[in-house]
Amino acid sequence: SSSHMSMEFVFENFDKFIIMANKGILFFGTRKESFPKPLHLFKKAGLEPPASSELCRYLDIDAADVETAARQIYGKMGQTYHNNMTII
């Protein structure tokens, strides 16, 4: 029997992690290193990619880490909603 954690939980609670599938290692590294990785690696292991990665793909944002992605997302949204948004 296998169990899978949510990648959101992993991203929030661990600095380094391993993604494995079919008796092999698909990824070993930090959150920052994993962020730009192709989403198919997560799905191949039966995991849903982090929502932040999915959002970046949807918005066509190429960021090396979550912080950079957040700035770029805010920048894109800020162009339209600048007067109505506050980032907490």
Side-chain angles (χ1 to χ4, degrees):
S1 160
S2 65
S3 65
H4 295 284
M5 287 188 205
S6 129
M7 287 308 295
E8 298 296 336
F9 177 82
V10 171
F11 268 45
E12 290 172 12
N13 293 285
F14 301 98
D15 292 325
K16 263 189 172 175
F17 58 93
I18 298 171
I19 297 176
M20 299 176 69
N22 301 320
K23 301 180 185 176
I25 295 174
L26 300 176
F27 174 81
F28 173 70
T30 65
R31 290 183 302 240
K32 192 172 188 174
E33 294 167 336
S34 75
F35 192 75
K37 295 293 180 199
L39 299 179
H40 75 273
L41 288 181
F42 293 101
K43 292 185 179 187
K44 186 175 181 180
L47 302 168
E48 286 298 318
S52 52
S53 295
E54 294 276 13
L55 180 60
C56 285
R57 191 187 80 206
Y58 178 77
L59 295 174
D60 196 28
I61 291 175
D62 184 23
D65 57 62
V66 175
E67 292 82 15
T68 302
R71 279 191 230 103
Q72 289 184 27
I73 291 167
Y74 178 71
K76 282 190 177 218
M77 294 178 77
Q79 294 169 4
T80 304
Y81 302 105
H82 180 68
N83 295 327
N84 298 324
M85 276 195 65
T86 303
I87 290 186
I88 298 173

